[in-house]
Amino acid sequence: QVQLVESGGGLMQAGGSLRLSCAASGRTFSSYAMGWFRQSPGQEREFVATIRLSDRSTYYAGSVKGRFTISRDNAKNTVYLQMNSLKPEDTAVYYCAASDAWIRVALSAYHAWGQGTQVTVSS
């Protein structure tokens, strides 16, 4: 199956920017879409953004729309999440995930997950 490794997390002041990367290896040809999710302590894992690999169609959670951008570089087997205008409520562990269908927001649609990268936004 596909293996995913996230990177790029860190500490940022409110209003700043970070770019997360998700490097994929293994059976990447089986993936149809890639997504980003996030989870804070005591919270459920929530959808952030997804991209369909065939045509770059994207979909975003309302809380990040206009601030975050998901993109991909097929040559590098990498998906990115550009996060601008960060808010303290964006603080979470961010996870990259792969899906073989365009279900978008459903956790159950994603069959492979990375280990996560911590994003902390200070006020």
Side-chain angles (χ1 to χ4, degrees), residues 18-107:
L18 286 172
R19 189 179 76 162
L20 306 184
S21 298
C22 174
S25 61
R27 300 178 63 183
T28 57
F29 59 86
S30 65
S31 298
Y32 186 77
M34 300 290 293
W36 287 96
F37 292 75
R38 65 188 183 187
Q39 187 169 24
S40 300
Q43 303 278 292
E44 297 292 321
R45 190 169 298 186
E46 66 175 353
F47 167 78
V48 175
T50 188
I51 183 168
R52 187 160 62 186
L53 300 180
S54 60
D55 63 358
R56 300 183 182 181
S57 295
T58 59
Y59 186 77
Y60 298 91
S63 59
V64 307
K65 190 175 298 183
R67 300 189 297 119
F68 291 10
T69 302
I70 187 170
S71 62
R72 92 283 187 270
D73 185 338
N74 286 348
K76 296 181 178 180
N77 291 317
T78 302
V79 176
Y80 304 96
L81 184 68
Q82 178 67 45
M83 305 185 294
N84 298 327
S85 302
L86 284 164
K87 304 175 180 180
E89 51 263 46
D90 295 320
T91 296
V93 176
Y94 283 71
Y95 297 90
C96 179
S99 174
D100 60 2
W102 186 237
I103 306 300
R104 296 182 290 181
V105 303
L107 285 168

